[in-house]
Amino acid sequence: MGQSIFQPGTDVLTTRGRGKVVDVRATPSGTFVFGVEDAEGEVNYFTEKALRLAQDQG
């Protein structure tokens, strides 16, 4: 996986809103995808390019 900054527990922003990384998987093609759980408990998978670090609000 190299030096990805997106590890389990990292707060991130996705195209669907804010969430927390809960899973990291490799696809058969060798690309890594990150499972992000949103506030409703739904997990969606995104590539690293679709994620940004969430900034603390406060």
Side-chain angles (χ1 to χ4, degrees), residues 25-55:
R25 296 183 182 194
T27 64
S29 66
T31 302
F32 283 91
V33 291
F34 302 85
V36 178
E37 184 176 14
D38 63 17
E40 289 79 37
E42 183 179 352
V43 177
N44 292 287
Y45 285 83
F46 301 89
T47 63
E48 190 168 13
K49 290 181 180 181
L51 301 177
R52 291 184 299 162
L53 286 175
Q55 306 228 349

Side-chain angles (χ1 to χ4, degrees), residues 4-5 11-12 14 16 18 20-21 23 29-32 35 37 39 42 44-45 48-50 54-56:
S4 177
I5 58 174
D11 288 322
V12 295
T14 71
R16 300 186 72 169
R18 190 177 183 125
K20 185 172 290 220
V21 175
D23 189 21
S29 66
T31 302
F32 283 91
E37 184 176 14
E42 183 179 352
N44 292 287
Y45 285 83
E48 190 168 13
K49 290 181 180 181
Q55 306 228 349
D56 289 334

